[in-house]
Amino acid sequence: MNIILLGPPGAGKGTQAQRLVDKYNMVQLSTGDMLRAAVKAGTPVGLEAKAVMEAGELVSDDIVSALICDALDALDADTGVIFDGYPRTAPQAHSLDTILSERARLLDHVIELEVNEEALVDRITGRFTCANCGTGYHDRHKLPKSEGVCDKCGSTEFKRRKDDNAETVRQRMVEYRAKTAPILPIYEERDVVTRVDGMADMDTVTQSLVEVLEG
Ligand code: AMP
């Protein structure tokens, strides 16, 4: 199964993708994660992407589509994939069609997480993750049970994304509205889109996704 999770920054794509990975043995392909890894490693892609990401703008279509190709080619043909944060523009959506058909993969579902934009800045500006295991936390909504210690792995190292500040978030929203939301009609025409209420609590959202996948 191949699915796309669509939604603005902070809609919960990464969190929900991780839950589906745990439940279904699928693989999450997040171009944001790949780009952050490239920035950290100082690769040519990372050097090119760094300033663009910090400004909340979009990295070039060619770069992200190449990352997706490489990531897919490293997987077994029958491993299910959750695309998280890709495609984000119409050219990327068209590239993905080609990329999938060249690999005999079908797109099963496009799931849009619908959220109230007012809530997103609050969600994003408080979030942080365990530097060791990646468990997500939030300054106002979900602190570790024991202060400064990850609930899941006990690590005391946490990290925050550099682009999770109010100013950059607003630019990321602008990009979403201008370039990503307009790709939905491409998929609506194919009858593969389901909308899920991304404002519900996390377990309810996961349950709705499970219903779509198993429906
Ligand atoms: P994300 O982790 O999905 O929020 O992505 C973080 C940042 O990485 C975005 O604000 C963009 O600068 C860049 N990025 C991630 N995925 C893409 C993509 N598919 N197309 C262009 N830029 C991307």
Side-chain angles (χ1 to χ4, degrees):
M1 184 165 306
N2 300 285
I3 69 172
I4 295 173
L5 286 185
L6 264 180
K13 300 185 296 292
T15 305
Q16 294 299 333
Q18 198 50 56
R19 288 173 164 219
L20 297 179
V21 163
D22 293 344
K23 188 171 168 63
Y24 293 111
N25 235 343
M26 298 173 81
V27 168
Q28 170 191 15
L29 295 187
S30 157
T31 40
D33 286 349
M34 294 175 202
L35 290 166
R36 278 184 288 280
V39 169
K40 199 169 168 202
T43 65
V45 163
L47 293 177
E48 193 170 335
K50 188 170 188 283
V52 178
M53 294 171 77
E54 284 173 12
E57 289 164 7
L58 293 184
V59 173
S60 83
D61 293 329
D62 290 347
I63 285 182
V64 289
S65 293
L67 289 173
I68 287 289
C69 276
D70 290 347
L72 278 176
D73 287 341
L75 298 176
D76 288 338
D78 55 358
T79 303
V81 172
I82 304 162
F83 294 96
D84 160 12
Y86 179 92
R88 251 178 162 99
T89 64
Q92 290 177 29
H94 296 306
S95 294
L96 181 60
D97 283 342
T98 310
I99 291 168
L100 289 177
S101 72
E102 281 172 355
R103 289 161 183 78
R105 285 179 176 268
L106 293 175
L107 181 60
D108 298 284
H109 298 284
V110 175
I111 304 175
E112 185 195 12
L113 294 176
E114 287 189 302
V115 282
N116 158 5
E117 281 199 21
E118 300 297 301
L120 295 180
V121 175
D122 170 68
R123 274 194 188 183
I124 292 182
T125 54
R127 69 185 182 179
F128 61 99
T129 54
C130 170
N132 178 50
C133 72
T135 297
Y137 295 98
H138 197 283
D139 293 326
R140 294 173 292 281
H141 309 303
K142 190 194 163 203
L143 284 166
K145 292 194 183 82
S146 165
E147 195 184 333
V149 183
C150 175
D151 297 345
K152 193 165 171 191
C153 75
S155 166
T156 53
E157 301 287 323
F158 295 90
K159 59 182 185 183
R160 286 173 197 269
R161 279 172 51 170
K162 212 167 178 180
D163 60 349
D164 277 353
N165 60 76
E167 192 193 336
T168 308
V169 168
R170 289 190 203 287
Q171 181 57 34
R172 286 157 67 197
M173 303 284 182
V174 167
E175 295 282 49
Y176 181 80
R177 257 181 261 122
K179 296 175 187 159
T180 309
I183 70 178
L184 266 162
I186 298 175
Y187 296 116
E188 269 161 353
E189 270 184 19
R190 301 180 201 171
D191 223 12
V192 287
V193 178
T194 308
R195 294 195 159 78
V196 164
D197 176 12
M199 296 307 293
D201 66 74
M202 280 195 247
D203 291 344
T204 307
V205 176
T206 307
Q207 189 50 40
S208 304
L209 297 178
V210 166
E211 281 163 21
V212 174
L213 267 58
E214 294 185 3

